[in-house]
Amino acid sequence: MSVWVIAEHRNGELREVTGELVAVARALGAGPVTAVVLGGPGETEAPAAGLPAGIDRVVRVEHESLAGFNGVAVAAALERVAARERPAVVLGAHSAAGMDWASALAAGLGAPVATDVLSLHRDDGGFLAVRTVYAGKLQARVRLAQAPTVVVTLRPGATEAAAGSAEVPAETEAAEVPAEVGRRFVEWIQEAAGEVDITQADVLVSVGRGIGDPEDLDVARDLAEALGATLSCSRPVVDLGWLPKERQVGISGKTVKPKVYIALGISGAFQHVTAMKDAGLILAVNKDPKAPIFRVSHYGIVGDLFKVVPELTKAVREAKG
Amino acid sequence: MNLAVFVKHVPDAAEADLRIGPDGRSVRAEDLPFQMNEWDRFALEEAARLKEATGGSLTAFLIGPGEHEDSLRRCLAVGADRAVRVWDESFPTLGPAAVARALAAAVGEERFDLYLCGAQAADDGYAVVGPTLAVLLGVPWAALVCRLELQDGRIVCDRELEAGWFERVELALPALVTVQTGINEPRYVSILGIRKARSKPLEVRGLADLGVDPDEIGRLGALTRLEALEPPPPGREAEMLEGSPAEVARKAVAVLREKGGVL
Ligand SMILES: Cc1cc2nc3c(=O)[nH]c(=O)nc-3n(C[C@H](O)[C@H](O)[C@H](O)COP(=O)(O)OP(=O)(O)OC[C@H]3O[C@@H](n4cnc5c(N)ncnc54)[C@H](O)[C@@H]3O)c2cc1C
Ligand SMILES: Nc1ncnc2c1ncn2[C@@H]1O[C@H](COP(=O)(O)O)[C@@H](O)[C@H]1O
C-alpha cells in the first residue's frame, strides 16, 4: 500500500496546501508517502525542491501537455501510472486545480472519490471521509467503497501543514500522456490591484447576501463610517455587481486579518471563512442561529441586521461622543 | 452551435433549519424551499447567450423527481429548445458518479458542441459531476470557468483560481465547462415567461429508456456512500449577545471597546 500526494504548484511555486496533504497522508498510516509533481518541461524541479518533510519518495512527471498543471493532462497521466502502481489513496487538494483533475481521475479509474474532505480515516471497512454539506450547516460521514485506489481531495486550511523539507532525491518518471489532450494552457493571469486594499484595514465591516438589496448597503456603510472601518463583502455581493471584486473576502478574493471583523448577513461558507478566521475579534450578525459563521465568531447576534445594525451604528456614535 | 446544459434543483438552505430525517442520512426536505442550483443559473445564462450569438440549439438535462421540473421550466423560459428529465425509483441515493453516468446516458448518441455544468451543487458541494461527465463523454473540459469566448472552432476560457489568479486555457470542441458564479448576470425570469415556455417539449425518461443497466448505476452509487449526517462540531462557540436591538448594540459596543481595542 502507498499514499500519493499530488503536489500542487502554480507559476513555479509549490502551494502551501501540499504540506497539509503530506500531514494527512502521514497520519493515515496507509503505507509510504509518494509525492507526485506533474508539470510541463522545466516546471517540476522548483516545486519538488520545496516539498516538506514526511515524504518517502518523490516522482517528477514532465510533459508538454502537462504545462500549467493542465487538469485534463494531469488526470490522464495519473490514470495511467495509478492503474499500474495502484496506490491505496491519491490525495489532492480541493482547490481550483483539484476541482479540475481529481474527479476525472476517479472516473477514469472507476475509483471512489470524496471531495472537499475535512478528515480522512481508515478502519476495517476501508476509508471514511468527513465532509460538510449544505454550505457547512451539516457534517456528513462518507464511506468509500473498498477499491484498489480511492481518490480524495482535502479542504485547504483544514489541517496543520507538515513542516521541514523533504530530504529525498526526486525520481523522474516518463509521462504516458497523449500529445493532444484537447486542452492547452495559455497563460497565468493576475488580477490588477484595485483602489482599496481591504487587507490593510484594522476594522472591516463585511456584508453578505443577507443585505438583500444594493440600496441597503448604506446600512453597512453607515456602521463602517461610524467605526472608521472599511467595507468588505462576500462573493455573491460581487457576483451581483453590488460591490467591486477588490472588496471580496475569501479564497477567490482577499485573505484578511484585521483587528475586528464584523460579518453582516454572511452565512459562513468555508471559501469565505478560511480567509477571515484569523481576525482578532469576529462579531457576526445573522438571523439564522445555525449559520456556520457563528462557529468561527467570538461574538454573535442572532437577529435581523436591519434592526440591529442601525442601533449598533447609533451606539458606536454615542460611544465616540 | 448546439449546447447542452445540466441543472440541479436543490434546497435553499441558507436560512433553513435543516432537520436530519429518521434514517440519519437525509435531510427532511418537505419543509425546505427549492430552487435551481446557484451555479447552474450562471451556466444556463452562458448557454443561452452562446445560443443567441451563434444560432444553434440548447437542450437542458436534469436528474430528479417531478417536483424538480421547475428548474427545467426555467431553462425553457430562458431559451432552451427542449428539456429532458430523467428519473428512476432507485435514484434518491445516487452519488455524483452515478448521476454523471445517468446524464451521459441521457445525452446518449446525441452530440453537442459544448456541454455546460455548474461548478458545484450547493447541497452536496461535491464538484464532481462536471469533469466526470466529460470523461464519460470523451471530451476535454475546464472547471471553474469565469470567462468564455468562442474563437474559430475553439473556446478560450479563463479558469478562476485562488487569491486573484486566473488561468487562460483553450479547449477544442466538443468540450465541457463547469461554470463559476459571476461569469455573467443571469436574466430575470418572469412567471409569465415560464408559463409561455410550457408549450416547449419536456421529455421524461426512466433508466430503462436510457438503456443503462441498473446494476451499473447501483455499483457506481455505492462507490461513495453517505453513512450519516450529523450536526457540525461546535467550533469557537461564539458568546451570544442577547436582548433588544438597542441592548445588543450596547453590549456589542462594550465588546468592540474591551476586546476589539477599537472605539
Ligand atoms: C471555488 C469557489 C470559490 C469561492 N470563493 C468565495 C470567496 O472568495 N468569498 C466568498 O465569500 N465566497 C466564495 N465562494 C462562495 C461560497 O461558497 C458561498 O456561496 C458564499 O460565501 C455565500 O455568501 P453569503 O454568506 O453572503 O450568502 P448566503 O450563503 O446566501 O448567506 C446569506 C446569509 O444572510 C443571512 N440573512 C439573510 N437576511 C438577513 C437579515 N435580514 N439579517 C441578518 N441575516 C440575514 C442568512 O441567514 C444567511 O446566513 C466560493 C465558492 C466556490 C465554489
Ligand atoms: N441531478 C442532477 N441533474 C442535472 N445536473 C446535475 C445534477 N447533479 C449535478 N448536476 C450538474 O453537475 C454540477 C456539479 O454538481 P456536483 O458534482 O454534485 O457538485 C451541477 O452544477 C450541475 O450542473
Side-chain angles (χ1 to χ4, degrees):
Chain A
M1 272 216 287
S2 70
V3 182
W4 284 8
V5 163
I6 309 309
E8 193 166 304
H9 57 96
R10 172 172 310 157
N11 212 1
E13 263 178 65
L14 187 73
R15 300 198 64 233
E16 211 176 294
V17 67
T18 307
E20 298 167 22
L21 303 180
V22 171
V24 169
R26 271 263 72 91
L28 210 50
V33 177
T34 298
V36 186
V37 196
L38 305 110
E43 285 180 2
T44 64
E45 194 174 343
L51 288 167
I55 296 167
D56 303 296
R57 176 175 167 235
V58 178
V59 178
R60 287 168 43 197
V61 186
E62 291 193 352
H63 189 276
E64 208 58 68
S65 49
L66 288 164
F69 207 75
N70 181 334
V72 177
V74 166
L78 286 173
E79 184 185 328
R80 286 170 174 78
V81 196
R84 196 175 59 235
E85 292 198 19
R86 301 199 161 207
V89 187
V90 177
L91 199 59
H94 187 67
S95 56
M99 287 165 91
D100 202 34
W101 64 261
S103 60
L105 169 65
L109 291 171
V113 57
T115 56
D116 192 16
V117 166
L118 297 174
S119 64
L120 183 64
H121 311 268
R122 194 162 68 101
D123 59 22
D124 293 342
F127 292 100
L128 182 80
V130 176
R131 63 195 301 280
T132 62
V133 288
Y134 298 99
K137 285 184 107 169
L138 290 176
Q139 182 164 291
R141 293 176 170 274
V142 173
R143 172 64 63 184
L144 296 167
Q146 306 259 21
T149 297
V150 302
V151 179
V152 175
T153 62
L154 202 71
R155 173 177 298 183
T159 322
E160 195 76 36
S165 61
E167 312 264 312
V168 215
E171 302 162 25
T172 48
E173 172 116 21
E176 304 155 63
V177 199
E180 222 9 276
V181 292
R183 169 166 148 187
R184 194 175 70 84
F185 169 78
V186 180
E187 60 180 332
W188 304 110
I189 300 168
Q190 192 177 23
E191 197 162 56
E195 277 169 28
V196 179
D197 187 356
I198 59 170
T199 66
Q200 297 302 311
D202 274 344
V203 184
L204 286 172
V205 170
S206 211
V207 287
R209 182 154 34 203
I211 199 79
D213 191 299
E215 306 278 306
D216 291 325
L217 278 174
D218 282 344
V219 175
R221 266 196 200 103
D222 288 346
L223 175 61
E225 201 187 322
L227 280 168
T230 302
L231 198 63
S232 59
C233 63
S234 69
R235 175 166 189 134
V237 174
V238 175
D239 289 342
L240 288 158
W242 298 348
L243 283 175
K245 180 90 179 166
E246 69 204 50
R247 304 258 180 181
Q248 182 186 319
V249 174
I251 52 162
S252 54
K254 301 268 167 57
T255 297
V256 296
K257 204 180 162 182
K259 277 195 208 148
V260 174
Y261 189 87
I262 304 181
L264 308 175
I266 294 178
S267 63
F270 97 87
Q271 292 97 345
H272 186 84
V273 162
T274 311
M276 47 63 79
K277 65 178 190 315
D278 295 329
L281 179 99
I282 301 171
L283 168 68
V285 182
N286 196 303
K287 68 178 178 193
D288 174 11
K290 301 246 179 79
I293 191 75
F294 289 128
R295 293 203 301 275
V296 293
S297 301
H298 302 95
Y299 293 88
I301 298 172
V302 176
D304 182 349
L305 74 91
F306 294 107
K307 298 213 173 83
V308 173
V309 178
E311 290 294 335
L312 183 54
T313 307
K314 205 163 89 191
V316 167
R317 291 216 168 100
E318 279 164 14
K320 280 195 157 172
Chain B
M1 184 176 210
N2 294 324
L3 301 128
V5 66
F6 302 88
V7 299
K8 186 176 186 185
H9 200 62
V10 298
D12 175 9
E15 293 171 36
D17 182 19
L18 296 177
R19 289 185 301 143
I20 299 169
D23 64 354
R25 294 194 283 149
S26 59
V27 165
R28 302 173 67 138
E30 63 271 24
D31 15 86
L32 294 176
F34 273 64
Q35 59 184 16
M36 185 190 288
N37 179 36
E38 183 177 1
W39 282 267
D40 302 352
R41 284 209 292 272
F42 291 91
L44 170 64
E45 178 64 34
E46 202 62 20
R49 288 185 190 190
L50 282 167
K51 178 195 152 172
E52 285 155 16
T54 63
S57 70
L58 172 57
T59 307
F61 293 90
L62 172 140
I63 296 196
E67 308 89 85
H68 291 194
E69 252 172 37
D70 285 359
S71 280
L72 285 180
R73 301 264 173 228
R74 173 177 280 269
C75 292
L76 293 170
V78 167
D81 303 287
R82 55 188 261 270
V84 179
R85 180 172 72 80
V86 179
W87 190 241
D88 185 89
E89 286 311 310
S90 67
F91 276 8
T93 52
L94 286 190
V99 167
R101 177 68 184 88
L103 287 172
V107 169
E109 297 302 308
E110 256 183 283
R111 278 294 163 258
F112 296 90
D113 302 303
L114 187 64
Y115 303 85
L116 299 99
C117 285
Q120 66 173 32
D123 50 358
D124 292 336
Y126 273 116
V128 161
V129 169
T132 305
L133 182 56
V135 169
L136 296 175
L137 295 170
V139 300
W141 69 91
L144 283 166
V145 169
C146 60
R147 200 188 70 92
L148 187 159
E149 198 185 313
L150 202 58
Q151 269 181 17
D152 31 85
R154 291 166 302 149
I155 54 168
V156 179
C157 317
D158 288 351
R159 297 186 57 236
E160 182 189 272
L161 312 173
E162 290 82 8
W165 280 93
F166 300 86
E167 173 194 9
R168 185 158 295 165
V169 303
E170 256 176 33
L171 289 173
L173 296 176
L176 182 145
V177 292
T178 83
V179 172
Q180 175 60 308
T181 57
I183 186 173
N184 52 38
E185 264 182 63
R187 69 196 67 180
Y188 173 74
V189 183
S190 69
I191 304 281
L192 185 66
I194 290 184
R195 210 176 293 149
K196 273 197 187 146
R198 284 209 171 261
S199 57
K200 291 186 176 177
L202 195 160
E203 292 162 48
V204 180
R205 298 192 201 150
L207 258 195
D209 307 319
L210 301 181
V212 186
D213 180 357
D215 288 347
E216 189 192 355
I217 294 285
R219 192 177 48 72
L220 288 169
L223 282 179
T224 309
R225 197 165 46 81
L226 179 63
E227 234 171 43
L229 284 179
E230 51 202 32
R236 228 170 227 162
E237 305 219 43
E239 184 179 327
M240 292 309 204
L241 309 180
E242 283 161 10
S244 69
E247 279 163 1
V248 296
R250 251 194 325 276
K251 290 178 186 170
V253 163
V255 164
L256 290 175
R257 177 173 277 161
E258 285 151 31
K259 312 275 167 149
V262 293
L263 290 176

